[in-house]
Amino acid sequence: MLKLSWNATTDHVKALAQCRFLDAPRPGLLPSRRRAVVSCYPASKAPSLAVVSDGLAWVEPGSGSLADRLRLGSLTEDGLSYKERFIVRCYEVGINKTATVETIANLLQEVGCNHAQSVGFSTDGFATTTTMRKMNLIWVTARMHIEIYKYPAWSDVVEIETWCQGEGRIGTRRDWILKDYANGQVIGRATSKWVMMNQETRRLQKVDDDVRDEYLIFCPRESRLAFPEENNGSLKKIAKLEDTAQYSRLGLIPRRADLDMNQHVNNVTYIGWVLESMPQEIIDSYELQTITLDYRRECQRNDVVDSLSSHEPDENLEAILQLNGTNGSAASPATEDYRQFLHLLRLSGDGLEINRGRTQWRKKPMR
């Protein structure tokens, strides 16, 4: 029998009657705590969730915040992913008259946080579960990979779907698919890996079974990847760029606006720093297609950062060109249309590595 955590008044019973089971756990999936997710839609109220555990149900009947009611996002019908629509603002557009890659990255971060809030995780910006907060644990980004096939312009509407999954014993992953809402065309994909860290000791920690139980109920039961292709770019290792970099921008200093709620430099700021050392001729003639970043070290407000970049030959492209009879010549039209770079962010004083990255660029389309 379903027991409720509030007095069973007539209104509450009516509210529960409008709830529906989104997903029941499969046998053996969560042996320690059998749970199911229920989506509730009381009249004139924002959707809420209940978690059924060991025969008990806790349903929060609140009407939701004003932001929840105005936000253009919600859980999908099965409750295992989240979609939200965004209008590209004029201040989010750059020199190409389209959204910048920083804008895209910020939207990915926003929809990920909204997804976490929608399933009841903390609102402190860290998407932590109850057990994580008790153990003083937070998620930190280990890798981010973004591919943009078409940049949206000012006033375009972008729909972003996101979901998360387990990633071994020490982390989790979050994926995104970006679509042009007007026609449903996929305009980008992204994936990320996150690891668990103790907020006090700053040491990484394995994902506790209790934590896994708390977030896996909101994850797809079967593996679902934004990049299902074998040997896709998100899996490629990034070599460390040495001191003989071709391009550099030294002495970058975090602004106050670059700091997140944890008083550390926001993940998106690193993207801007990477691009600061790109040669101007690439910025003028090419647009960023792919960026992959491996986060190695936290950066704080008093740190000074050096950004280094160098051209990286693409072995796969050169092999294809040789098969086509071009011998990878620098004058080949195919190589002229495509550029690839390695990047390194390091502390200016001791040279400690903060971040290493790879970017791929394509010729700007004719407008």
Side-chain angles (χ1 to χ4, degrees), residues 180-193:
D180 183 333
Y181 187 66
N183 56 28
Q185 177 187 4
V186 175
I187 60 173
R189 296 182 292 173
T191 186
S192 60
K193 294 183 180 180

Side-chain angles (χ1 to χ4, degrees), residues 67-367:
D68 290 333
R69 298 197 294 273
L70 295 179
R71 186 177 289 126
L72 300 176
S74 63
L75 291 169
T76 54
E77 187 173 354
D78 63 6
L80 302 180
S81 68
Y82 177 89
K83 290 183 179 180
E84 188 165 353
R85 300 181 298 280
F86 299 92
I87 302 172
V88 178
R89 315 294 183 179
C90 64
Y91 54 83
E92 296 173 324
V93 171
I95 60 175
N96 296 330
K97 300 181 181 180
T98 57
T100 64
V101 66
E102 290 98 329
T103 293
I104 299 298
N106 276 318
L107 292 180
L108 298 180
Q109 185 168 271
E110 174 71 7
V111 74
C113 289
N114 291 343
H115 179 208
Q117 288 190 29
S118 72
V119 297
F121 292 166
S122 72
T123 59
D124 59 6
F126 300 121
T128 52
T129 68
T130 301
T131 301
M132 289 178 66
R133 291 192 293 278
K134 289 179 180 178
M135 301 176 67
N136 207 27
L137 300 173
I138 59 173
W139 296 110
V140 293
T141 313
R143 168 171 274 218
M144 174 70 74
H145 178 84
I146 303 173
E147 294 186 7
I148 305 298
Y149 313 125
K150 179 185 177 183
Y151 281 90
W154 177 23
S155 295
D156 283 354
V157 180
V158 179
E159 181 181 71
I160 304 177
E161 180 181 9
T162 186
W163 64 94
C164 56
Q165 295 173 105
E167 181 78 7
R169 297 297 301 175
I170 63 171
T172 185
R173 65 178 293 145
R174 177 175 287 280
D175 287 25
W176 297 265
I177 292 179
L178 299 85
K179 292 183 179 181
D180 183 333
Y181 187 66
N183 56 28
Q185 177 187 4
V186 175
I187 60 173
R189 296 182 292 173
T191 186
S192 60
K193 294 183 180 180
W194 301 71
V195 293
M196 191 171 290
M197 185 176 73
N198 186 290
Q199 196 169 6
E200 290 183 350
T201 66
R202 316 310 289 181
R203 293 182 179 274
L204 300 184
Q205 185 165 324
K206 288 185 177 181
V207 180
D208 185 90
D209 285 339
D210 289 337
V211 174
R212 290 174 60 85
D213 284 359
E214 287 175 326
Y215 76 81
L216 281 180
I217 58 173
F218 303 110
C219 299
R221 301 297 177 249
E222 304 293 337
S223 178
R224 182 189 177 194
L225 305 176
F227 297 94
E229 302 89 348
E230 188 175 354
N231 299 322
N232 66 81
S234 71
L235 304 175
K236 290 181 62 176
K237 291 185 177 180
I238 303 175
K240 183 178 179 180
L241 183 62
E242 302 300 335
D243 288 336
T244 55
Q246 295 173 293
Y247 311 98
S248 64
R249 179 72 181 273
L250 309 180
L252 297 170
I253 301 174
R255 304 172 304 158
R256 291 188 179 94
D258 295 328
L259 303 181
D260 62 17
M261 290 179 275
N262 196 31
Q263 297 296 310
H264 291 87
V265 173
N266 186 282
N267 295 335
V268 179
T269 300
Y270 295 102
I271 296 177
W273 284 347
V274 162
L275 301 182
E276 280 297 309
S277 58
M278 285 295 297
Q280 189 61 42
E281 58 267 25
I282 296 296
I283 301 296
D284 290 341
S285 301
Y286 293 78
E287 65 180 8
L288 184 63
Q289 174 175 298
T290 302
I291 183 167
T292 311
L293 296 178
D294 283 340
Y295 295 87
R296 301 302 182 100
R297 182 181 303 274
E298 293 180 294
C299 186
Q300 304 185 24
R301 63 180 179 180
N302 294 323
D303 291 332
V304 181
V305 177
D306 293 340
S307 175
L308 308 177
S309 297
S310 284
H311 177 260
E312 180 188 32
D314 188 333
E315 297 177 356
N316 294 330
L317 177 62
E318 292 183 354
I320 293 174
L321 293 176
Q322 288 176 3
L323 289 175
N324 292 336
T326 64
N327 294 321
S329 169
S332 167
T335 56
E336 287 297 314
D337 290 344
Y338 182 86
R339 290 286 187 271
Q340 184 167 288
F341 288 82
L342 283 178
H343 306 275
L344 175 68
L345 296 179
R346 67 184 184 188
L347 295 177
S348 293
D350 50 24
L352 291 176
E353 182 180 17
I354 300 172
N355 188 297
R356 67 176 64 176
R358 173 182 290 113
T359 57
Q360 296 172 328
W361 303 73
R362 58 175 175 252
K363 271 282 191 179
K364 288 183 180 179
M366 298 295 293
R367 301 190 185 281

Side-chain angles (χ1 to χ4, degrees), residues 1-4 55-57:
M1 180 177 178
L2 206 61
K3 298 181 180 179
L4 307 182
L56 299 178

